[in-house]
Amino acid sequence: MKIPYFVIDAFTGAGFKGNPAGVCVLTHPLKPQQMQEIAARNNLPETAFICRQAGGWSIRWFTPTFEIDLCGHATLAAAFAALNFYGPQAAEVKFTAGCGSLTVHRCGKGYELVLPAKMPQQIAVTDEITRALGVKPLKAWQDRDLYVLLPDEDAVKNFVPDYAKLQKLSKWLGIVVTACGRQADFVSRYFCPELMDEDPVTGSVHCCLVPLWASALAKTKLRAVQLSPRGGELFCSLAGDTVRLGGEAKLYLKGEIYL
């Protein structure tokens, strides 16, 4: 069995930037264990598995160690593969996932991903959070992930994670540090304690970041930069109950997986 396979850098127009994702194009669904084994072998932040269905594609996302409920950058990568290799005349592609329906549009030389907007719940900055971070944030919010506000862009850029301490914040999947930006409207970084790694560019956390910063800055169109070593740029807008994330993508590898 041969599976078409792509590696695509999302939220960047340059090589070796943005967030790399694997995309497997299936003719029929695989067992979850098979998808997990492929994702572990690929060893990328996420691998998306897409399969044609009526009206679009199904999609699932796997890190090297577990399935995730939503991944923005891997959805953008999957859309790049679907639109450029399987629907070159199409203006958009629709995905169906456990979290609902997702749509990606062509937008100039890039793509625009439509995700559900989620305003996270503000919580107290506890001693536990402060000890785990090693710094005291100005504010904190929670959803799937923990979001903490730092004083400025330099504090985000210079933040050094202690994964052993961050793992004690086991209530949340990931830790997001964010602040107002100097050139961008806001900046952020995302850390996954379970993987002991920093995610280069994380589309899904912007489901919460965009409503937060739209409220704080009183504007619905925002430019965001994720300050990981690879870095990435997102053009964001809040439209009702959806967040729109615009960005480019670049093909790095095209091949086949043999099962």
Side-chain angles (χ1 to χ4, degrees):
M1 178 182 177
K2 295 188 292 186
I3 299 173
Y5 177 63
F6 304 84
V7 176
I8 295 159
D9 293 329
F11 295 115
T12 182
F16 304 103
K17 298 290 184 181
N19 202 352
V23 180
C24 295
V25 184
L26 308 177
T27 55
H28 62 273
L30 296 179
K31 295 179 180 178
Q33 182 180 351
Q34 290 177 298
M35 291 187 282
Q36 187 63 75
E37 289 172 345
I38 291 171
R41 182 67 179 269
N42 292 348
N43 199 32
L44 291 170
E46 273 85 19
T47 298
F49 295 83
I50 62 174
C51 186
R52 275 201 185 276
Q53 61 178 26
W57 302 76
S58 64
I59 186 168
R60 293 176 73 169
W61 310 272
F62 288 78
T63 76
T65 57
F66 54 85
E67 185 173 8
I68 196 167
D69 63 342
L70 174 64
C71 180
H73 90 273
T75 302
L76 190 70
F80 179 96
L83 288 171
N84 287 283
F85 294 96
Y86 298 92
Q89 305 306 314
E92 65 179 31
V93 59
K94 294 183 181 295
F95 296 106
T96 301
C99 63
S101 297
L102 305 170
T103 303
V104 182
H105 307 275
R106 294 187 192 269
C107 186
K109 62 179 181 178
Y111 306 87
E112 186 177 67
L113 172 62
V114 183
L115 296 174
K118 296 190 290 183
M119 177 63 81
Q121 174 191 6
Q122 187 166 1
I123 60 174
V125 176
T126 63
D127 291 341
E128 179 189 19
I129 290 173
T130 299
R131 285 194 300 269
L133 294 173
V135 296
K136 186 171 183 177
L138 303 179
K139 295 180 181 180
W141 300 264
Q142 67 175 1
D143 192 71
R144 180 194 70 178
D145 304 296
L146 174 66
Y147 297 79
V148 297
L149 177 66
L150 298 187
D152 53 37
E153 181 172 323
D154 287 336
V156 173
K157 183 177 181 180
N158 297 327
F159 178 78
V160 178
D162 184 327
Y163 288 108
K165 291 182 178 179
L166 291 182
Q167 285 174 353
K168 296 179 181 179
L169 300 176
S170 57
K171 183 178 178 180
W172 302 284
L173 177 66
I175 311 299
V176 182
V177 295
T178 187
C180 194
R182 285 190 292 268
Q183 302 298 321
D185 290 296
F186 67 91
V187 298
S188 67
R189 293 172 69 189
Y190 179 87
F191 304 95
C192 184
E194 185 171 347
L195 298 178
M196 295 194 295
D197 200 9
E198 178 175 1
D199 196 45
V201 192
T202 317
S204 61
V205 301
H206 287 77
C207 293
C208 292
L209 284 172
V210 172
L212 275 177
W213 283 106
S215 176
L217 300 176
K219 57 193 299 188
T220 57
K221 294 185 182 296
L222 307 109
R223 176 174 171 263
V225 171
Q226 199 151 330
L227 295 174
S228 65
R230 286 177 63 103
E233 182 178 36
L234 304 91
F235 297 93
C236 314
S237 63
L238 181 64
D241 60 355
T242 64
V243 165
R244 294 174 178 264
L245 304 179
E248 296 183 59
K250 186 173 179 62
L251 179 67
Y252 172 71
L253 179 150
K254 179 179 181 291
E256 294 176 326
I257 292 174
Y258 291 79
L259 290 185

